[in-house]
Amino acid sequence: MYSTIIKESVVSSSAHSFQALVRLLRYAKGYRRRITAATLCSIINKLFDIAPEILIGVAIDVVVNQERSFVARLGFDTPQEQIMMLAVLTFFIWAGESLFEYLYQVLWRNLAQRLQADMRQDAYEHAQRLDMAFFESRSSGQLVATMNDDVNQLERFLDGGANSLIQVVVTVVAVGAVFFVLSPLIALLAFTPIPLIIWGAFYFQRKAGPLYSDVREKVGDLAGRLSNNLSGIATIKSFTSEAREAERLRESSEAYVEANRRAIRVSSAFIPVIRMAILAGFLATFTVGGMMALRGDLNVGAYGVLVFLTQRLLWPLTGLAQVIDLFERAMASTKRILDLLEVPITIKDNTDTPLAMPVRGEVSFDSVSFRYASSGAGVEDVSLTVPAGHTLALVGATGSGKSTLMKLLLRFYDPSHGQVRIDGQPIDSVGLNSLRQSIGLVSQDVYLFEGSIRDNIAYGKPDADDAAILDAARTAEAWEFIQVLPQGLDTAVGERGVRLSGGQRQRLSLARALLKDPPILVLDEATSAVDNETEAAIQRSLKRIAHDRTVIMIAHRLSTIVEADEIVVIDQGRVAERGTHTELLAENGHYAAQWRVQTGRAQAEDVEALSG
């Protein structure tokens, strides 16, 4: 009956956790030798650990029975010889226990460190290969929590929980074997509480599992809140929203505390309940065994062994509470990590074929259509060709689809219909590395990495020498401000470039793209957030770098694209107008109306048309 209860409990309450464990073992197949070695050391250590209790019983037998003791049968005649032999044996047992404790700790802890480092690295590398839609639908805080906090939870379990779980099993098996050898009756009495203890363990596991999954979700929310607030600290300060954001953080933190409190309430109830079951087993051994020893049916030394081993048998089972606590946290975290690793990669880099060299830079969009799943916005049946070495400007209202075309060119997304080609080659038939090495991107939202100015300019070409870095800085008109900084190229930019102005960050971004020296340069609103002086500097730079290079510009400031070879107006995902600056003004359409608004010659109908 008990076995049926346990089986049903295991199946019903542990399915998700054990599925996660199976998935983890499948992932960790390269660590099998380390896991096996660590497991063997844990087993041997526990066997040595329970041996002293047996020796105590043997010593009692020596003292009581002397020449008739069990040890005397091994050839040690006098009690003194028997005691000395037990002392020597005890020394080697304790030394063996200490040695294998050292070995299992080293093996398990090193395994924990190696596995968590590899798992974090694999998760990060997999995330880098995921398409942009994944990141647009996920909180960066949740991803950081998965790669950091969740991996650390698994590390904690491997550091101590895995060994504890193994040693509990070894204790039950080894001590149980000794019991059945010495007294099958007392063995049955001592083992009676074990089904209840195991059932209780899985019962609490079933209750705690969903609670710890909720804990992991809450810590991810908290990490996301912290990440967003620290990134947006300037906005928080400018709107004097410190108190409001502190309160929102407190709410997220309290939600995390409350989730932990619910989990702790369940897990903490385990030991008091199980302690009473242990007491029943101990009392059975103590009283029944004692009566049998008084009647002479049980050797006094054997009685001592049974009494000592009863606690050895039952008391470690209370550790199941802590082990299950660690196990549940680790498996909830493992599921999140492995779920991330199993997110399918939709933009697949399934070829090593490079773009045909040299890349001339002709770009064509052939009847390209794409819609974002979340908003439905995108582009519809767009056909454009940019001859190599020409400059194309894309203009249009926010959300019209201009940046979407650039994302399709970089294969951040794949079109649902049509094809994008470079020099006649479909970009989905060439390797992503070759494709993106041929394109330099300068976006409106400049991202600088924490480090020096030199590191950021050389980001796309880490082996570049100072001469090349200086040339790129001068071409981007960034050298003028760099050289007056106290540390020049070695000046630290701070997180996201916070120590530099917006215009300085934009010029460094342009220098970074130029040092890469791509045949195709994409400027996505590169001058929309800079002052007039910086815009003029970038314009002068573009005149110098546009020669023998394909340039695609997305712009709201029409003054920056007057000299483009072709200007295309995108409206609601479709090509509305195309031509040179002069031709489009002559058409007197959307472009002409926007030009009049920006130059201050707008009429009322222009403003109404653009706003509509």
Side-chain angles (χ1 to χ4, degrees):
M1 177 179 177
Y2 273 131
S3 61
T4 302
I5 294 174
I6 294 171
K7 183 177 179 180
E8 292 177 353
S9 180
V10 171
V11 171
S12 63
S13 67
S14 310
H16 294 299
S17 295
F18 279 97
Q19 285 173 6
L21 179 59
V22 170
R23 291 171 66 192
L24 175 62
L25 292 174
R26 192 180 299 125
Y27 170 83
K29 61 183 179 181
Y31 304 87
R32 284 176 183 170
R33 288 186 179 180
R34 301 186 195 186
I35 294 172
T36 300
T39 301
L40 286 174
C41 288
S42 294
I43 292 171
I44 295 171
N45 168 262
K46 180 49 63 175
L47 293 177
F48 277 125
D49 183 48
I50 62 178
E53 274 75 8
I54 298 175
L55 292 181
I56 291 173
V58 174
I60 294 173
D61 181 51
V62 168
V63 171
V64 173
N65 295 313
Q66 299 188 15
E67 287 81 1
R68 299 188 309 278
S69 69
F70 169 77
V71 179
R73 300 176 206 164
L74 302 177
F76 299 91
D77 298 326
T78 67
Q80 290 77 11
E81 290 177 348
Q82 297 172 27
I83 292 296
M84 289 304 298
M85 187 277 291
L86 291 176
V88 171
L89 188 58
T90 299
F91 171 81
F92 282 107
I93 287 174
W94 279 67
E97 179 188 356
S98 300
L99 172 63
F100 282 96
E101 181 171 0
Y102 168 77
L103 290 176
Y104 85 64
Q105 289 203 28
V106 168
L107 288 169
W108 280 118
R109 290 182 179 182
N110 284 337
L111 174 65
Q113 292 300 315
R114 185 71 268 149
L115 184 58
Q116 63 93 13
D118 289 347
M119 184 169 274
R120 181 182 291 112
Q121 188 70 25
D122 288 346
Y124 174 74
E125 290 181 6
H126 181 76
Q128 284 193 130
R129 293 192 295 271
L130 295 174
D131 60 280
M132 294 302 295
F134 173 82
F135 295 97
E136 291 169 359
S137 63
R138 298 292 196 286
S139 160
S140 61
Q142 287 283 0
L143 291 175
V144 170
T146 297
M147 296 183 196
N148 193 37
D149 294 340
D150 286 330
V151 172
N152 288 341
Q153 286 289 347
L154 176 60
E155 177 195 356
R156 292 187 191 103
F157 173 69
L158 292 175
D159 263 346
N163 171 72
S164 298
L165 193 59
I166 291 168
Q167 293 200 335
V168 166
V169 174
V170 172
T171 299
V172 172
V173 173
V175 172
V178 174
F179 265 60
F180 278 100
V181 168
L182 295 177
S183 175
L185 174 61
I186 295 179
L188 288 173
L189 293 174
F191 270 71
T192 299
I194 290 181
L196 178 61
I197 294 172
I198 296 176
W199 176 85
F202 284 109
Y203 172 80
F204 282 100
Q205 180 191 24
R206 182 182 62 188
K207 294 294 185 182
L211 298 178
Y212 281 122
S213 293
D214 187 46
V215 169
R216 302 314 311 149
E217 290 296 325
K218 292 297 188 294
V219 76
D221 294 341
L222 182 59
R225 174 69 62 193
L226 284 167
S227 176
N228 288 335
N229 283 12
L230 292 175
S231 298
I233 192 66
T235 303
I236 292 173
K237 287 179 175 294
S238 68
F239 282 91
T240 62
S241 298
E242 292 91 341
R244 188 196 327 161
E245 292 303 330
E247 181 58 32
R248 293 172 69 180
L249 178 64
R250 183 178 293 106
E251 290 174 1
S252 295
S253 183
E254 286 301 319
Y256 173 54
V257 169
E258 180 57 32
N260 261 307
R261 184 181 293 120
R262 289 193 295 268
I264 291 169
R265 187 183 303 124
V266 171
S267 62
S268 297
F270 178 71
I271 289 181
V273 172
I274 299 307
R275 187 188 297 270
M276 301 310 296
I278 291 172
L279 176 62
F282 179 77
L283 288 176
T285 303
F286 185 79
T287 55
V288 175
M291 295 299 180
M292 292 175 65
L294 289 173
R295 292 196 306 267
D297 296 335
L298 184 65
N299 183 286
V300 175
Y303 174 62
V305 170
L306 292 173
V307 170
F308 283 116
L309 285 185
T310 300
Q311 287 200 2
R312 277 290 187 179
L313 173 67
L314 299 177
W315 188 251
L317 294 175
T318 62
L320 283 175
Q322 286 76 28
V323 174
I324 289 172
D325 185 78
L326 284 172
F327 180 76
E328 281 297 337
R329 289 176 183 264
M331 291 306 104
S333 295
T334 297
K335 181 179 182 301
R336 285 160 56 98
I337 300 164
L338 296 178
D339 285 348
L340 173 59
L341 283 168
E342 292 174 4
V343 173
I345 299 172
T346 55
I347 308 298
K348 295 183 178 178
D349 187 11
N350 47 17
T351 178
D352 293 327
T353 305
L355 283 167
M357 301 300 289
V359 179
R360 295 181 295 107
E362 180 187 270
V363 177
S364 61
F365 297 87
D366 299 332
S367 302
V368 169
S369 297
F370 171 80
R371 295 288 176 185
Y372 295 101
S374 57
S375 64
V379 293
E380 189 70 31
D381 196 27
V382 172
S383 294
L384 294 172
T385 298
V386 189
H390 282 227
T391 298
L392 170 72
L394 299 174
V395 299
T398 300
S400 60
K402 308 182 300 297
S403 295
T404 299
L405 291 174
M406 297 306 97
K407 291 176 181 179
L408 293 174
L409 174 61
L410 284 157
R411 275 203 80 197
F412 290 162
Y413 299 92
D414 280 335
S416 54
H417 300 286
Q419 277 191 330
V420 183
R421 293 186 174 90
I422 293 179
D423 293 345
Q425 287 182 269
I427 62 173
D428 59 359
S429 68
V430 300
L432 285 174
N433 187 63
S434 175
L435 169 68
R436 292 171 183 169
Q437 282 292 332
S438 303
I439 303 172
L441 173 65
V442 181
S443 64
Q444 175 184 2
D445 183 19
V446 176
Y447 191 96
L448 297 183
F449 295 90
E450 191 165 6
S452 67
I453 289 177
R454 176 187 281 103
D455 294 338
N456 275 279
I457 294 178
Y459 186 76
K461 196 174 182 181
D463 57 348
D465 56 25
D466 278 2
I469 293 173
L470 288 174
D471 184 58
R474 289 192 179 101
T475 304
E477 298 210 12
W479 181 242
E480 181 179 348
F481 80 81
I482 293 174
Q483 64 181 340
V484 300
L485 294 173
Q487 295 175 290
L489 286 172
D490 294 317
T491 301
V493 302
E495 187 176 5
R496 297 181 65 92
V498 70
R499 296 177 185 174
L500 303 177
S501 70
Q504 290 172 335
R505 291 196 296 270
Q506 195 65 264
R507 294 189 210 189
L508 289 185
S509 177
L510 182 58
R512 179 168 61 190
L514 294 178
L515 182 61
K516 184 180 177 182
D517 194 25
I520 302 168
L521 183 63
V522 175
L523 304 173
D524 189 355
E525 305 282 7
T527 62
S528 65
V530 299
D531 55 38
N532 292 332
E533 179 185 352
T534 301
E535 180 185 349
I538 293 175
Q539 286 299 106
R540 291 192 297 269
S541 301
L542 290 176
K543 289 180 181 179
R544 290 194 294 271
I545 66 179
H547 297 295
D548 300 323
R549 192 191 311 269
T550 301
V551 179
I552 302 177
M553 303 175 62
I554 297 174
H556 275 121
R557 295 186 183 182
L558 302 186
S559 59
T560 62
I561 60 170
V562 170
E563 298 182 15
D565 295 303
E566 184 177 29
I567 300 170
V568 174
V569 179
I570 305 295
D571 183 38
Q572 296 183 358
R574 295 179 178 272
V575 175
E577 300 174 7
R578 61 196 308 166
T580 64
H581 173 72
T582 303
E583 291 169 347
L584 291 176
L585 288 182
E587 284 187 18
N588 199 30
H590 284 81
Y591 181 85
Q594 190 171 348
W595 174 261
R596 288 192 293 269
V597 168
Q598 292 191 10
T599 56
R601 295 194 291 270
Q603 301 173 1
E605 56 268 23
D606 292 333
V607 177
E608 183 178 350
L610 291 174
S611 62

